[in-house]
Amino acid sequence: MNRQHQLSSGVLNAAPLKRPYVALMMDVIGRGLEAASQVDEKIQNEVKNLPDGFMFDMRALPNGPCFVMQKDSSGCLRYLGKTAPRKPDVSLKFKHLNHAFLVLSFQEGTARAFANDRLLVDGEIAYTMKLVRSLNRMESLILPKFVAVRALKRYPRLTLTEKLADGGRIYTRLAKNLVWG
Amino acid sequence: MAAEFTRVSRKTWFGVNTMTKAYYEFFCPVKVVAGNAALEHIPFELRNLAASRPMIITDKGVRGAGLVDHVLGAFAESGMDVVEIFDDVPPDSSTTVVKNIAKLYRDSGCDSIIAVGGGSVIDTSKGVNILVSEDGEDLSQFSGVGVLTKPLKPFFVVPTTAGTGSEVTLVAVISDVEKGVKLPFTSYFLLPNAAILDPRMTLTLPAHITAMTAMDAMTHAIEAFTCMGKNPISDAYAVSAITKISQNLIKVLNAPDDADARLELAQASTMAGIAFSNSMVGLVHSLGHSLGALCHLPHGLCMNLFLPYVLEYNLEERGDIIGELLLPLAGADVYAKTPAGERGRAAINTIREIRDELYRRCKLPRTLSETGKVTKDQLARLAEMALDDGSIIFNPVEVDLDDAKAVLEKAW
């Protein structure tokens, strides 16, 4: 009885909050990655080696929140919203909304999610590795260090100046993209 | 060993105690049929699956060594015959080869497949099984993760090397030569129904191949045990595999016709395969896959080259876990006499000693320069390729381009 009560209060009651949180974070990550691909040299180097028109998405199965991105003609990543115009070249799929929540609330890193079989890849692995590195780089730039260390296996060697300058440029670009589309 | 999994980390996150616990999955439905006269169990096992018209898929080398004869002999007095034999699987198989074999299978009215060979034969057979079970012609339609949705035809694997572990893995990689791409296939339905481990099948394996493939299995087990996907069940398989290889590899090189020791290596390979297919592998494989692709060196040799250098790279982060390997590698006496803080380094030194012994006995290269097939100007490219290999994400320590280059320099 007590255990059942604990389960329902600990898991089920939190569920309504998880979906909007995951949806919001997916939006932030997608738009953040778009902005980062416009300003950060390391992410640009990763994106450069993806095929033209390359498309990927991240989603929570079976029909949870998602975002879709595509490499545009300028060589940057473009946030396409929640609908893919065709089957993406790479699809990153969380098996359950709760698994997406664990990662996007920084309780579990991306690599750990892969190791725990919570995050599936459908598509070319080499491209996926470039995307994962880009996501890691973006997170290290825009998140406070004490948050980023929870998401990454190793926090990169970043000076405070780099962090503030690059992170600031990404946030500025993110704001511009939100305003002007 | 169990510390990582029994520990409950109590992390506070904005004042909330998140109490994260480890999670893992483990799956291996392959029936292991192992030991003396194991081959003779095949007809009975086929009947259990309502099959009676098997096709053997193998290569010229295996057939030339007389190993297929052992399998055919097992069908004598069984009331069942092998209906067809295809013995021309190339070292790097292709979708064209798969399609040709599938046609032969259908034309001959076969109802099951027995793969007799190493990695290429097994992967090819998995491809054939997809086509004949799905009644398809274009193998690329079935490439990817989870595309297959129903059980395939009865499929047995008889490994003729003790290293790849492909008899218990759910993946296959087959080249599409026309499109110039390698097609990956991942599905639980690709797992064989049974793996047949018979000491007769590895008895004539030459010393250098025995050594190379054993180090392949050793690396599967060690990476399964030390990388991010480790779990208590795969750990048990990995430790057993390492123990068997440590205790029997040199024994087999001393007495190649020691059937018991050969069987121990075959079992170790299968156990390592079960371990790594559930826990995945790490940087040794990332570097090894790149080296194999760029310089066309055998996979087992690549594993032997990089193993100690990657463990050194991971030592600071995984010292305690690597230290536990000293017990299966060197035995209880050495383990007990070595202070806990020194066991990680001692385990790596033991691996180095095994490699030195293999170099002395069969010239199995220990460094990139000893291979004579790698140039120093290829190291930068190798590092880049390794970063794009999927296994790198399971390495416990993050690896960037400079890190990968540094490991390659050490392995030079």
Side-chain angles (χ1 to χ4, degrees), chain A residues 46 95 105-107 110-112 114-118 121-122 124-126 129-130 132-133 136 146-147 150 153-154 157, chain B residues 4 11-14 18 20-21 23 25 144-145 228-229 313 387-390 392-400 403:
Chain A
E46 299 290 356
K95 286 183 178 174
S105 59
F106 312 107
Q107 295 176 59
T110 314
R112 171 53 60 197
F114 277 113
N116 285 1
D117 280 312
R118 306 196 202 275
V121 174
D122 191 357
E124 175 67 41
I125 296 295
M129 294 300 108
K130 295 180 197 303
V132 169
R133 286 197 293 275
N136 287 347
F146 75 96
V147 178
R150 302 176 68 92
K153 275 195 271 187
R154 179 178 67 194
R157 291 175 283 266
Chain B
E4 170 149 325
K11 291 178 179 172
T12 302
W13 185 226
F14 290 113
T18 55
T20 55
K21 284 187 179 179
Y23 169 87
E25 296 178 4
V145 181
M228 290 184 73
Y313 179 75
L387 292 192
D388 281 345
D389 190 87
I392 205 161
I393 205 157
F394 302 105
N395 197 67
V397 180
E398 184 68 58
V399 185
D400 64 20
D403 299 325

Side-chain angles (χ1 to χ4, degrees), chain A residues 30-127:
Chain A
R31 291 180 190 279
L33 199 52
E34 178 184 62
S37 75
Q38 292 164 350
V39 300
D40 183 70
E41 195 181 335
K42 287 194 172 168
I43 293 179
Q44 285 167 345
N45 280 336
E46 299 290 356
V47 176
K48 184 176 70 182
N49 293 313
L50 295 170
D52 292 340
F54 173 85
M55 190 184 293
F56 78 96
D57 70 352
M58 179 182 275
R59 60 183 61 247
L61 294 175
N63 42 31
C66 67
F67 70 89
V68 186
M69 303 202 70
Q70 186 169 30
K71 181 180 173 183
D72 66 15
S73 55
S74 67
C76 295
L77 291 174
R78 182 90 183 146
Y79 177 75
L80 297 185
K82 294 170 177 42
T83 311
R86 62 173 171 82
K87 184 178 186 294
D89 301 293
V90 165
S91 195
L92 300 167
K93 301 170 182 172
F94 290 100
K95 286 183 178 174
H96 192 279
L97 180 75
N98 225 15
H99 302 153
F101 181 78
L102 282 172
V103 171
L104 299 177
S105 59
F106 312 107
Q107 295 176 59
E108 195 167 273
T110 314
R112 171 53 60 197
F114 277 113
N116 285 1
D117 280 312
R118 306 196 202 275
L119 185 50
L120 307 173
V121 174
D122 191 357
E124 175 67 41
I125 296 295
Y127 298 151

Side-chain angles (χ1 to χ4, degrees), chain B residues 53-259:
Chain B
R53 296 179 61 78
M55 173 187 208
I56 287 179
I57 300 174
T58 187
D59 63 37
K60 292 281 186 211
V62 169
R63 190 149 199 200
L67 300 180
V68 174
D69 295 337
H70 293 310
V71 183
L72 294 175
F75 279 83
E77 304 294 329
S78 73
M80 190 187 293
D81 290 319
V82 172
V83 175
E84 190 61 75
I85 300 174
F86 181 91
D87 66 0
D88 203 12
V89 175
D92 290 312
S93 194
S94 69
T95 50
T96 311
V97 175
V98 168
K99 198 172 168 181
N100 291 341
I101 302 173
K103 182 176 185 309
L104 190 62
Y105 177 102
R106 292 182 185 115
D107 291 347
S108 305
C110 299
D111 63 7
S112 48
I113 295 169
I114 304 171
V116 184
S120 181
V121 165
I122 298 169
D123 276 12
T124 301
S125 302
K126 288 176 178 174
V128 172
N129 204 10
I130 293 172
L131 284 189
V132 300
S133 302
E134 295 283 345
D135 201 21
E137 288 292 328
D138 180 8
L139 194 60
S140 66
Q141 284 183 338
F142 304 98
S143 178
V145 181
V147 178
L148 301 171
T149 55
K150 62 177 198 236
L152 308 184
K153 301 284 184 189
F155 175 40
F156 291 5
V157 171
V158 185
T160 56
T161 62
T164 70
S166 301
E167 66 276 14
V168 285
T169 65
L170 49 80
V171 298
V173 179
I174 297 168
S175 297
D176 185 332
V177 178
E178 284 177 18
K179 292 178 185 164
V181 293
K182 286 194 169 185
L183 299 174
F185 302 84
T186 305
S187 169
Y188 290 125
F189 297 119
L190 286 178
L191 284 160
N193 297 93
I196 318 296
L197 311 180
D198 190 307
R200 285 171 286 182
M201 303 307 284
T202 52
L203 217 45
T204 55
L205 210 57
H208 71 283
I209 297 180
T210 301
M212 205 158 55
T213 51
M215 290 309 286
D216 185 13
M218 176 79 97
T219 307
H220 288 156
I222 288 179
E223 290 221 287
F225 191 81
T226 56
C227 289
M228 290 184 73
K230 80 193 251 84
N231 69 65
I233 303 179
S234 73
D235 278 359
Y237 281 97
V239 168
S240 265
I242 296 166
T243 306
K244 285 181 186 300
I245 296 166
S246 305
Q247 292 179 353
N248 290 283
L249 176 54
I250 302 302
K251 200 187 276 187
V252 164
L253 295 178
N254 283 335
D257 54 357
D258 182 337

Side-chain angles (χ1 to χ4, degrees), chain B residues 5-24:
Chain B
F5 306 100
T6 53
R7 185 181 62 224
V8 177
S9 62
R10 294 165 195 274
K11 291 178 179 172
T12 302
W13 185 226
F14 290 113
V16 177
N17 187 349
T18 55
M19 291 274 292
T20 55
K21 284 187 179 179
Y23 169 87
Y24 70 90

